[in-house]
Amino acid sequence: MAAADHIREIEAALSERPVQRDDFVVASWRRCIEEHGLDPARPSPAYILPERQLRQHQQKAERLTSIARSGVEELFRQVASQNYVVLLTDPHGVTVDYFGDANFEDDLRKSGLFLGSSWSEAQSGTNGIGACLATGSAVTVHQEDHFDLHHVPLSCSAAPIYDLQGGLAAVLDVSLLRSPQPKATQALALHMVKSAARRIELANLMAEMRANWVLHFSERPEFVDVDPDGALAVDGSGRIIGATRQALRMLSASPGRSVIGQRLGAFFDLEIDDLPTFSRARSTQDRCLFMKTGEVVYAHAIAPKPPSRQSMARNSETLPRAFAALQFGDPVMERVLAQAARLAKSDLPLWITGASGTGKERLARAIHKERDEYAPFVVVQCADFPERELEEILFGDRNGNEGLIAQARDGVLFLDAVNELPVAVQARLARALTDDGIRPAGGKNPIAIKAKLVSASSVPPARSNLRTDLMFRLGGACLDLPDLDDRADFDGLVDRILRLVGVAEPTAVSITDAARSNLRRRQWPGNIRELKNTLRVSVAMSDDGRIDIEQLPNSVLTPLGTNAARKAVDLERSLTECGWNISRVARLRGVDRSTIHRQMKRAGIRRP
């Protein structure tokens, strides 16, 4: 088509005379003139951004670009033999990644099929990328569909890439410098770029939502595990926090209905506690899921993954190494460790609270390591000895043997189960604690020992039943460790324990999703200590280092009704005392609101 004919066709479309073009092309031509002030009679060359501006666009799009890279490369391998170029642009239409034949680099640069090219509709007129950005849909702009005469030889097929909340984040495009064939021949190219964009969205969801449950679903069972129609992620309370574009379309039955932030049960006959039953342990045919619309899809639920070493390093980069080793992704635990790190080198006494098995001594050892790992770390088991024997153990005997207080000089004295101290020992310890240190024995000139005092108890100082003067001397700052049931990093702890077991065992240790889900659903009155013992038994029961349901001890597979009932009563009492204010209960317990909702659901507690 001659240039004059192309201009006359655009004029005809603007005059609303019939033309043989797609509606979106005509709408784009109209925007080019009426909104962007472009002139079809004045062709302009492709615009390539200066290097500095390009770097700014690339930096902003860096994370998505890195996630999309493998998908872009795979698409280029599929189309390179047909002389296609693959472009990935940011939401402004600037090409931030590019794959093309280096033999045609000069021609590609002149045509704008190159890194740094700007394909916004306002800059380049009607084109595949610009039209995709304007419509939010996959399109093919072929030859004379282009507004600018400079781009008429090109054929471009583009598909949008959406972020997890449904915003347009990027465009993926395949283009030809010249295409003598009619537009219909580009149907396969359009299908391929749409499929690649959908896979990139899925990869982005999986990368961003590793710490949450992800649900894949498809209308056909054979595709649910490999190429699902849609995918979404849910938080601990069962609310949808991210989804692919196709998932949003499938769930948005009502116009304008929001999907993000809604509960899973609003769209499926499913709650978050049901997700483990949709793992790969069952056949795809058995994983049918009913939608509220009456449709049936097939599902694949993927359990939260423990943080990678890289992400844990990012989350714990402000923590000293001794404390970072105890952090696996739980926000409450991270706050406790940050407090401990700030207080470790001060002379202020610390009080660690937590149920049995939550890691009180491990935290005390981290405090000691941060202060001076070569100094003494002296442990006093306050509940293990009768009164007179404990007094001698602490302060020394008449024969001149040093007590543990003297041995702790310049180090850390760890008083475990301090609330179990006999009354007489409490009185002597209260007298021995001075502003200048600890007096280890009586006499005219007692020696003051400089030692960091760290106490541990299942209850806070105010509920310890210690003498008031001793309580105030020991309870300088309180660090409260959460129960294992309330921690969000269960999987990270499991993997950490298995790595430690693997050091002692010659066989590499792994655990199936089914076994992991079973452990996660169980309550743990013995906390981390009980989990360690359970995993050690499971490893011993395994011949090849692989833990599945069959390797879990029977005690784990048996529900703990008594403990569950006790926790339910405690939780309901807290809710009642706080007037059923979930936020207030969460603050008092040092957990997130989603944790309280999850505990309420598990215990069957409903707001009155």
Side-chain angles (χ1 to χ4, degrees):
M1 179 183 289
D5 293 335
H6 180 59
I7 294 170
R8 279 194 292 269
E9 186 179 15
I10 292 177
E11 291 174 344
L14 295 176
S15 301
E16 299 187 355
R17 297 198 298 272
V19 294
Q20 298 299 312
R21 300 289 169 187
D22 291 321
D23 290 344
F24 80 86
V25 171
V26 175
S28 177
W29 286 353
R30 185 171 287 111
R31 287 193 300 272
C32 288
I33 291 178
E34 296 176 354
E35 297 180 21
H36 307 314
L38 301 180
D39 185 350
R42 299 179 60 184
S44 58
Y47 178 65
I48 307 292
L49 268 65
E51 184 67 25
R52 182 177 178 182
Q53 292 183 30
L54 171 60
R55 283 199 302 271
Q56 292 174 347
H57 282 267
Q58 287 179 316
Q59 287 170 359
K60 291 180 181 179
E62 183 176 9
R63 179 158 181 79
L64 182 59
T65 302
S66 63
I67 292 172
R69 175 58 66 90
S70 62
V72 175
E73 289 179 338
E74 176 60 26
L75 178 60
F76 181 65
R77 282 193 291 270
Q78 295 171 355
V79 300
S81 61
Q82 302 299 316
N83 297 320
Y84 281 96
V85 176
V86 178
L87 309 176
L88 180 70
T89 82
D90 67 7
H92 305 287
V94 174
T95 303
V96 292
D97 206 2
Y98 147 88
F99 288 88
D101 191 334
N103 295 319
F104 302 100
E105 185 171 304
D106 289 342
D107 291 338
L108 294 174
R109 181 186 287 273
K110 290 176 183 177
S111 298
L113 304 182
F114 202 73
L115 190 65
S117 56
S118 175
W119 284 106
S120 68
E121 203 175 63
Q123 174 70 45
S124 301
T126 304
N127 67 86
I129 293 167
C132 181
L133 289 170
T135 64
S137 302
V139 297
T140 294
V141 174
H142 185 72
Q143 295 180 347
E144 286 84 4
D145 286 344
H146 288 87
F147 180 87
D148 196 302
L149 287 167
H150 187 82
H151 304 313
V152 163
L154 307 179
S155 181
C156 310
S157 295
I161 296 173
Y162 285 88
D163 64 24
L164 305 187
Q165 281 69 48
L168 208 162
V171 171
L172 185 63
D173 173 89
V174 293
S175 293
L176 283 170
L177 275 172
R178 282 166 288 276
S179 176
Q181 295 88 1
K183 186 172 183 175
T185 62
Q186 300 306 306
L188 179 58
L190 183 62
H191 171 75
M192 294 174 71
V193 76
K194 287 167 64 176
S195 297
R198 188 177 72 249
R199 289 192 293 272
I200 290 171
E201 287 183 4
L202 180 61
N204 186 38
L205 180 78
M206 298 303 297
E208 294 288 344
M209 295 294 173
R210 285 175 54 88
N212 299 281
W213 276 99
V214 173
L215 183 69
H216 293 182
F217 51 96
S218 179
E219 294 177 351
R220 298 177 61 180
E222 61 268 28
F223 290 141
V224 68
D225 289 340
V226 292
D227 190 14
D229 294 332
L232 54 83
V234 295
D235 65 12
S237 67
R239 292 189 183 278
I240 298 172
I241 55 176
T244 61
R245 176 65 169 178
Q246 184 61 17
L248 294 175
R249 285 178 175 171
M250 293 175 71
L251 299 183
S252 297
S254 304
R257 183 184 185 187
S258 174
V259 174
I260 304 299
Q262 295 285 330
R263 291 194 174 279
L264 197 60
F267 304 98
F268 300 98
D269 186 14
L270 179 73
E271 295 295 338
I272 189 169
D273 291 342
D274 303 321
L275 288 175
T277 62
F278 289 88
S279 71
R280 280 183 174 167
R282 298 170 63 193
S283 70
T284 54
Q285 295 287 348
D286 292 336
R287 284 184 260 143
C288 57
L289 177 60
F290 293 91
M291 299 181 69
K292 293 294 186 178
T293 58
E295 299 175 75
V296 177
V297 293
Y298 296 87
H300 174 206
I302 302 168
K305 296 292 190 297
S308 66
R309 292 185 179 181
Q310 292 81 3
S311 64
M312 283 193 293
R314 287 195 299 271
N315 292 337
S316 304
E317 61 185 5
T318 59
L319 291 175
R321 182 177 299 179
F323 298 101
L326 305 179
Q327 166 62 0
F328 302 98
D330 179 70
V332 174
M333 193 66 186
E334 187 171 2
R335 288 194 293 271
V336 172
L337 294 173
Q339 293 171 352
R342 287 194 293 269
L343 297 168
K345 292 191 175 181
S346 74
D347 292 331
L348 191 71
L350 300 180
W351 186 294
I352 303 173
T353 64
S356 176
T358 52
K360 295 186 291 294
E361 184 172 338
R362 285 208 67 190
L363 178 56
R365 290 186 179 277
I367 292 168
H368 163 252
K369 191 172 184 179
E370 175 63 12
R371 287 177 64 84
D372 183 357
E373 62 181 313
Y374 300 106
F377 180 81
V378 177
V379 179
V380 180
Q381 299 292 349
C382 299
D384 288 356
F385 303 97
E387 178 180 310
R388 182 170 295 278
E389 186 177 349
L390 180 60
E391 195 167 355
E392 291 183 350
I393 288 172
L394 277 172
F395 296 99
D397 58 28
R398 295 180 179 179
N399 298 323
N401 294 317
E402 275 191 335
L404 294 181
I405 286 179
Q407 295 175 23
R409 61 169 53 88
D410 300 322
V412 170
L413 180 65
F414 178 57
L415 304 172
D416 195 16
V418 68
N419 55 308
E420 300 294 329
L421 274 174
V423 175
V425 179
Q426 289 184 39
R428 185 167 181 184
L429 184 58
R431 290 193 301 271
L433 296 178
T434 71
D435 294 338
D436 297 324
I438 308 172
R439 292 191 179 99
K444 294 182 179 178
N445 297 305
I447 303 171
I449 302 298
K450 287 290 185 181
K452 176 79 168 180
L453 286 169
V454 180
S455 303
S457 170
S458 60
V459 295
R463 292 170 50 197
S464 64
N465 295 322
L466 292 181
R467 290 169 53 111
T468 303
D469 53 352
L470 180 60
M471 178 188 71
F472 286 125
R473 290 188 179 277
L474 295 179
C478 191
L479 304 170
D480 188 22
L481 294 177
D483 288 359
L484 178 57
D485 291 343
D486 296 333
R487 289 179 62 157
D489 57 354
F490 183 88
D491 288 308
L493 284 165
V494 169
D495 290 337
R496 167 69 172 173
I497 294 168
L498 291 179
R499 283 197 299 271
L500 293 176
V501 172
V503 171
E505 299 290 338
T507 306
V509 180
S510 64
I511 184 168
T512 66
D513 286 345
R516 189 187 293 272
S517 295
N518 190 289
L519 294 176
R520 192 186 301 109
R521 291 198 304 272
R522 186 184 187 270
Q523 292 184 317
W524 297 91
N527 292 290
I528 299 174
R529 185 182 295 119
E530 183 184 7
L531 177 62
K532 282 182 180 178
N533 292 336
T534 296
L535 291 173
R536 286 170 179 159
V537 171
S538 300
V539 171
M541 295 289 289
S542 171
D543 294 328
D544 56 0
R546 181 175 180 271
I547 300 174
D548 205 344
I549 296 291
E550 292 77 11
Q551 283 73 47
L552 298 180
N554 289 334
S555 59
V556 171
L557 300 175
T558 303
L560 293 178
T562 302
N563 182 64
R566 177 183 60 79
K567 290 204 170 193
V569 170
D570 290 342
L571 176 59
E572 190 162 16
R573 183 183 298 117
S574 296
L575 288 163
T576 302
E577 291 174 352
C578 293
W580 292 85
N581 186 317
I582 304 297
S583 297
R584 186 180 174 194
V585 174
R587 285 195 300 271
L588 289 174
R589 294 188 165 215
V591 298
D592 296 327
R593 293 177 76 255
S594 60
T595 299
I596 300 299
H597 284 294
R598 187 166 60 249
Q599 292 172 350
M600 289 174 63
K601 179 176 177 57
R602 183 188 293 162
I605 298 173
R606 294 181 180 273
R607 184 190 296 270

